[in-house]
Amino acid sequence: MRLYAAVLVRGFRRYATYRTATLAGVFTNTVFGFVIAYTYIALWRVRPHLGGYDLGQAVTFVWLGQAMLMTTALFGGFEAELIDRIRSGDVATDLYRPADLQLWWLARDIGRAGFHLLGRGVLPMAAGGLFFPLVWPASPGVWAAFLLAVALGVVISFALRYLVALAAFWLLDGTGIVLLASLAAIFFSGMLLPLTVFPGALGVLARALPWSALLQVPADVYLGRDTGARLASALGFQAVWAVVLLGAGRLVQSAATRRVVVQGG
Amino acid sequence: MGTQALIRFEDVEKVFQVRRKAGRLRRERHEVRAVDGISFEVPRGEMVGYIGPNGAGKSTSVKMLTGILMPSAGRVTVAGIDPSRERLRLARRIGVVFGQRTTLWWDLPLRDSYELVRRMYRVPDARYRANLDRCVELLDLADLLDVPVRQLSLGQRMRGDIAAALLPDPEVLYLDEPTIGLDVISKAKVRDFLREVNAEHGTTVLLTTHDLTDIEQLCRRVMVIDHGRLVYDGGLAGLHAIGDSERVLVVDFDRELPPVEVDGVRSVRVEGPRQWLRFPASASAAPLVARLAARYPLVDLSVREPAIEDVIGRMCAGSQGL
Amino acid sequence: MGEVSYAPETEAVGTDAGPYAARWPLRDRLREAVAGCRAYLLIAGMWSRSTLTYRVSFLMTVVGNACMTALDFVTIAIIFGHTRTLGGFTLAETAFLYGSSGVAIGLADLLLGSLDGLGRRVRDGTVDALLVRPVPIFAQVAADRFALRRLGRLTQAAVVLVWSLIRLHVAWTPGRALLLPVMAVSGAAIFGAFYTAGAALQFRAGDAAEVQSSFTHGGGTMTQYPPTLFARELVRGAVFVVPVAFVNWMPALWILGRPEPLGLPGWTGWLSPAVALAVCALAGLAWRAGLRSYRSTGS
């Protein structure tokens, strides 16, 4: 356990050293926040209460998206590095380490996410709050539930990307699937538009897929739309996906390990 | 004025402004004189070693010679061109190999890199083919031509880099640590190749290195710089004299003896019948041996040359007081 | 000693060219530009050939690249599923803006997107290797890892643009027809200038690379939408400060026969080429300053 805590801290620190890059990223998030917020304002002016949000909630959704973009790694993260290790064969040595491969990368990714939540999340949100009337959760309970939802979102994001990375054991070229995965993450997380605005069956499908746990679910928790039983079922939805995807990751990992052992590393 | 001087450094200085952290937010500015008034000339066709400890100003000098860096003061001339003002024009006439960093295209196979070099430098077809064939043969590149550069080992990449630098027939070749990380055989190959290029084409070569065997085997002239100053410029032999180094005479007598007492030598170690005797590197060994043989029962003897590393180390340590 | 006999000769040529170069700076600059273009084509050609050896992988990345930007248009389509007009603009009109903005940034990204890699090269020290080659460094960095897959984005935007042109009922005049390609080229040049300025910044602050994407991709996203959506100050900034408005808004509004939101006269749409030239000149100066600073500090 101490080992994973150390890995987690190292993951956090690794990103904390790039201060200029972080500020530059905050600037970019803020610019995009502005642009998208105005398109939402135009849409919600014509269609108030679209998707069940009022104008203030819709704009808040935009800035939440910018704040969580990096935290739940919608554009991808560690998987490129892991794929490189798989391709070069370095992963064989990783598999023989006393640390579990999945937990090791998970700890590191949680450390990274922790930094991104603080470094890339707080400032864009503050910038949004400065220029737009955002909704702020009134009770500490909502904040706590939101943070829990974000944490589950981070784990699900990790579990998905871990599966993607492990595919490199069988695929010759990992770029295709990585690209596909980030397309899915951006589209089905609610990053482009809240999933409640998606039409008909597409909306139903999108809300059932695990990617909705990356932004849509935490945002709804933040906006106070989910309380009581609905809150429990939202968090439960995330927890189920987290367990399922981490489990799938374990299964694939052991298959991959067998493969490495058979090939002689 | 030596009309044959191909490379000329005249009172060249390079001063960097460095900002250092001093405390949490405060930053201190201070000057670093990486090159502090160096002058030298290198005639066409010479092979010169340019050596000194890390941070002495070697690579800063090479960067000024290639036009990457602009000197703060003084004048640099290479083949009649001011490198920093006419970098692109000079680039056509020089070859550069940075030991640690490749000048090749990382993701392209060697062959494609060479093809790009050919077209960038506009090397005539026949010339290119002849040069490539020779490089491939002498540097053992035949099996590597279709491998992407990033997959090459350090030694393979170095050979690939040297070939790329020589394809356009440069008048000057700068080599920064050309044998670093190479195995003994590759080192020998690279050295033979450089010697041949120098002899056949009259290519002027300036070599910075940590491996002093490179210098001993390739260069008749050595320049030593330290703290941005030229502390020595001359032949290898002279380097020993100036570094007041000592050679060691290892002698075997027919029996155990007390430390010998002969003028001009010092016994530094005794082990049974064997003794180690130090004497100045500038002195000739023959009269000493004669004197020894006259007074002691000599069985065998050998002379050990001083390690050039030690010589330079001593020299640079001495120059710090200046 | 054969080489000694020709040595003074080459030296004479060398010293002679100094004042010669100073007398004809424009001619030298022009020669450098031609050499740069040639080198760009050489390097880009080499990269294209090497990517095309893996056909399937290449096609997949092209399609993926197209899909990535197509998502933006899917978003617009979903928005118009909920409303007939956005900021007073129809779907076809918005698609026209989307397409023209996308073509501009797609072209700039295809041609100069690799400039992004400069920061990495400064950090790992490989810029020096580029500086000893007889070719302008700008061309070398811009063509490095030339990525044909970026055609995906360009193609996708072009398809939307063509679709919008079919759907729109524009009263085409020679002027309007002429402004269309002028808009695409000027827009690409403006985004190209942003890429260049961003790269120039990386000579000093490699970490700040992402700021550049606020102007390129941020500007690209903003100009996909009608200007009427945005606050007046933001539009003013896009016209006078960071002139993304001249990428497509100003010329497109004139082609569409719509009033300019700041009340500027319609002919301002024709200012795009002039604005593009101006920002390119500024970006060129920034690049020179960045390179100069690198060459005097070595880092």
Side-chain angles (χ1 to χ4, degrees):
Chain A
M1 215 46 227
R2 291 246 313 265
L3 168 72
Y4 298 112
V7 172
L8 191 151
V9 171
R10 224 171 54 198
F12 185 97
R13 288 229 185 100
R14 203 168 117 111
Y15 287 87
T17 45
Y18 303 114
R19 273 186 237 175
T20 336
T22 304
L23 282 179
V26 165
F27 181 73
T28 308
N29 288 146
T30 308
V31 168
F32 272 91
F34 263 91
V35 172
I36 302 170
Y38 278 111
T39 65
Y40 278 33
I41 290 172
L43 180 58
W44 261 264
R45 285 244 168 86
V46 219
R47 292 290 309 273
H49 304 295
L50 181 64
Y53 301 105
D54 63 26
L55 183 59
Q57 285 175 321
V59 173
T60 307
F61 195 100
V62 172
W63 288 97
L64 278 172
Q66 290 304 317
M68 289 181 55
L69 180 66
M70 292 303 287
T71 308
T72 49
L74 293 182
F75 287 126
F78 74 94
E79 60 270 31
E81 200 183 331
L82 180 52
I83 287 174
D84 271 351
R85 290 190 73 79
I86 293 173
R87 281 252 208 86
S88 65
D90 291 341
V91 77
T93 51
D94 297 352
L95 285 170
Y96 290 115
R97 260 196 226 135
D100 178 76
L101 191 69
Q102 191 187 34
L103 284 178
W104 193 87
W105 285 97
L106 175 62
R108 218 180 80 153
D109 203 47
I110 290 176
R112 175 205 60 76
F115 174 74
H116 279 151
L117 186 64
L118 296 174
R120 296 285 297 265
V122 174
L123 282 178
M125 203 64 196
L130 210 60
F131 293 98
F132 297 89
L134 299 190
V135 175
W136 303 96
S139 75
V142 176
W143 277 110
F146 169 65
L147 286 178
L148 183 60
V150 171
L152 284 166
V154 168
V155 172
I156 290 170
S157 162
F158 164 81
L160 283 165
R161 287 176 292 126
Y162 189 71
L163 280 168
V164 166
L166 289 190
F169 275 106
W170 291 271
L171 296 176
L172 270 174
D173 185 28
T175 44
I177 190 159
V178 169
L179 198 67
L180 209 67
S182 61
L183 279 174
I186 289 165
F187 191 66
F188 290 116
S189 63
M191 190 61 214
L192 295 172
L193 272 178
L195 300 181
T196 50
V197 175
F198 278 26
L202 183 64
V204 174
L205 175 73
R207 286 192 292 278
L209 290 172
W211 291 285
S212 67
L214 306 191
L215 175 61
Q216 184 70 41
V217 174
D220 280 344
V221 171
Y222 176 98
L223 293 171
R225 276 165 51 103
D226 293 336
T227 48
R230 282 189 56 184
L231 176 64
S233 82
L235 293 174
F237 167 81
Q238 282 187 307
V240 168
W241 268 122
V243 170
V244 168
L245 291 168
L246 284 176
R250 291 221 72 88
L251 283 177
V252 177
Q253 179 186 330
S254 59
T257 313
R258 268 199 304 281
R259 195 180 154 85
V260 169
V261 173
V262 169
Q263 287 178 344
Chain B
M1 202 166 131
T3 42
Q4 281 136 293
L6 188 66
I7 301 172
R8 191 175 298 141
F9 247 49
E10 291 167 83
D11 299 315
V12 176
E13 289 179 19
K14 182 69 203 177
V15 182
F16 293 117
Q17 304 284 336
V18 180
R19 254 176 287 184
R20 245 201 327 220
K21 264 191 191 167
R24 269 208 163 272
L25 293 167
R26 227 155 40 84
R27 297 216 164 172
E28 251 171 24
R29 283 187 116 194
H30 69 123
E31 282 190 349
V32 173
R33 306 184 78 79
V35 170
D36 193 7
I38 290 183
S39 301
F40 63 77
E41 286 189 356
V42 178
R44 187 176 288 274
E46 205 169 48
M47 231 172 165
V48 184
Y50 198 64
I51 56 182
N54 274 334
K58 286 176 306 210
S59 58
T60 305
S61 306
V62 172
K63 282 180 184 176
M64 287 192 280
L65 284 168
T66 50
I68 295 171
L69 280 178
M70 298 182 276
S72 315
R75 240 181 81 173
V76 181
T77 323
V78 177
I81 296 176
D82 175 347
S84 69
R85 286 189 49 199
E86 291 188 79
R87 179 172 51 85
L88 293 180
R89 207 161 69 87
L90 178 68
R92 212 172 278 288
R93 301 168 61 175
I94 62 173
V96 187
V97 176
F98 296 109
Q100 315 272 21
R101 300 175 240 124
T102 183
T103 54
L104 301 168
W105 284 263
W106 197 242
D107 301 276
L108 293 180
L110 266 187
R111 193 190 295 281
D112 287 358
S113 270
Y114 292 159
E115 184 61 23
L116 272 175
V117 167
R118 175 178 81 79
R119 303 185 61 179
M120 257 188 200
Y121 288 78
R122 298 174 194 266
V123 187
D125 259 355
R127 188 82 247 177
Y128 170 76
R129 223 161 295 133
N131 284 351
L132 183 61
D133 286 349
R134 218 166 63 107
C135 287
V136 165
E137 189 201 323
L138 291 175
L139 290 169
D140 230 349
L141 295 172
D143 297 334
L144 307 177
L145 284 176
D146 295 306
V147 181
V149 173
R150 75 183 125 77
Q151 287 174 18
L152 296 178
S153 75
L154 187 61
Q156 294 171 330
R157 214 190 66 205
M158 184 69 72
R159 285 183 274 146
D161 259 310
I162 293 174
L166 285 167
L167 286 177
D169 277 330
E171 290 165 59
V172 191
L173 180 64
Y174 301 104
L175 297 162
D176 188 12
E177 304 284 354
T179 57
I180 200 167
L182 268 60
D183 60 84
V184 184
I185 298 166
S186 305
K187 275 187 188 180
K189 237 178 207 139
V190 166
R191 285 179 197 138
D192 286 347
F193 180 71
L194 291 176
R195 209 177 293 129
E196 201 185 307
V197 164
N198 173 253
E200 272 188 20
H201 291 253
T203 310
T204 310
V205 180
L206 191 83
L207 180 79
T208 75
T209 183
H210 272 92
D211 187 341
L212 293 151
T213 325
D214 288 347
I215 305 274
E216 281 168 342
Q217 297 196 357
L218 293 175
C219 309
R220 252 165 303 168
R221 178 179 168 196
V222 186
M223 288 190 269
V224 182
I225 67 162
D226 187 41
H227 289 82
R229 285 169 182 275
L230 194 60
V231 294
Y232 177 79
D233 184 353
L236 255 184
L239 193 56
H240 291 309
I242 219 166
D244 82 86
S245 61
E246 292 176 313
R247 286 192 280 177
V248 176
L249 196 60
V250 184
V251 289
D252 288 328
F253 301 116
D254 64 356
R255 59 179 186 277
E256 286 186 38
L257 288 171
V260 298
E261 281 171 34
V262 172
D263 277 349
V265 297
R266 226 155 22 94
S267 177
V268 289
R269 194 169 153 203
V270 179
E271 233 172 59
R274 177 172 285 190
Q275 294 199 14
W276 281 260
L277 311 171
R278 279 181 179 268
F279 66 99
S282 48
S284 169
L288 288 175
V289 175
R291 254 176 286 160
L292 274 170
R295 289 179 54 185
Y296 296 99
L298 264 183
V299 175
D300 195 10
L301 80 156
S302 62
V303 178
R304 295 212 181 140
E305 294 295 329
I308 195 166
E309 285 93 337
D310 299 341
V311 176
I312 290 161
R314 257 201 302 280
M315 204 154 107
C316 293
S319 76
Q320 276 170 10
L322 294 176
Chain C
M1 293 283 274
E3 60 276 3
V4 176
S5 63
Y6 86 87
E9 193 183 281
T10 46
E11 284 221 1
V13 172
T15 41
D16 200 43
Y20 172 82
R23 226 179 300 141
W24 299 100
L26 192 70
R27 193 166 143 182
D28 266 31
R29 208 52 66 72
L30 214 66
R31 198 177 295 163
E32 201 180 309
V34 171
C37 291
R38 183 176 168 273
Y40 182 94
L41 292 176
L42 277 181
I43 301 170
M46 190 64 78
W47 282 108
S48 308
R49 234 168 304 148
S50 104
T51 33
L52 284 176
T53 44
Y54 304 100
R55 292 280 157 88
V56 179
S57 175
F58 167 71
L59 275 179
M60 265 180 76
T61 50
V62 171
V63 172
N65 193 265
C67 288
M68 195 59 105
T69 48
L71 285 186
D72 284 340
F73 192 67
V74 172
T75 309
I76 291 177
I78 293 179
I79 289 177
F80 278 93
H82 293 286
T83 173
R84 286 190 57 81
T85 62
L86 192 69
F89 282 64
T90 62
L91 175 60
E93 286 172 318
T94 309
F96 182 60
L97 292 174
Y98 173 94
S100 51
S101 162
V103 164
I105 198 168
L107 262 174
D109 189 44
L110 176 70
L111 296 177
L112 299 179
S114 293
L115 284 173
D116 254 358
L118 184 70
R120 180 181 50 80
R121 281 184 164 279
V122 169
R123 255 171 285 139
D124 67 19
T126 48
V127 171
D128 292 350
L130 304 181
L131 284 170
V132 298
R133 294 201 190 117
V135 171
I137 180 175
F138 182 80
Q140 293 186 62
V141 182
D144 191 29
R145 292 163 200 257
F146 178 80
L148 264 188
R149 64 163 188 281
R150 294 182 181 132
L151 275 174
R153 170 183 211 155
L154 184 59
T155 313
Q156 184 267 335
V159 167
V160 173
L161 183 62
V162 169
W163 176 81
S164 75
L165 288 174
I166 297 167
R167 288 283 302 270
L168 283 169
H169 304 287
V170 177
W172 288 104
T173 61
R176 282 181 171 148
L178 176 65
L179 189 53
L180 195 65
V182 168
M183 168 172 74
V185 173
S186 313
I190 290 172
F191 280 130
F194 293 168
Y195 275 110
T196 306
L201 187 69
Q202 293 186 31
F203 274 118
R204 291 319 299 264
D207 274 359
E210 222 187 316
V211 170
Q212 175 254 87
S213 76
S214 323
F215 295 106
T216 49
H217 297 116
T221 308
M222 186 168 168
T223 49
Q224 285 172 3
Y225 289 95
T228 45
L229 304 193
F230 300 96
R232 222 178 153 68
E233 299 76 46
L234 221 56
V235 178
R236 225 175 254 148
V239 173
F240 298 112
V241 186
V242 183
V244 283
F246 290 93
V247 166
N248 64 343
W249 279 353
M250 314 290 267
L253 291 175
W254 188 78
I255 292 174
L256 293 174
R258 281 178 163 275
E260 200 280 330
L262 295 180
L264 296 172
W267 54 263
T268 44
W270 281 93
L271 280 181
S272 284
V275 171
L277 267 180
V279 289
C280 283
L282 285 175
L285 288 177
W287 175 266
R288 276 175 174 272
L291 181 58
R292 204 176 170 75
S293 129
Y294 178 85
R295 291 182 58 207
S296 61
T297 60
S299 60

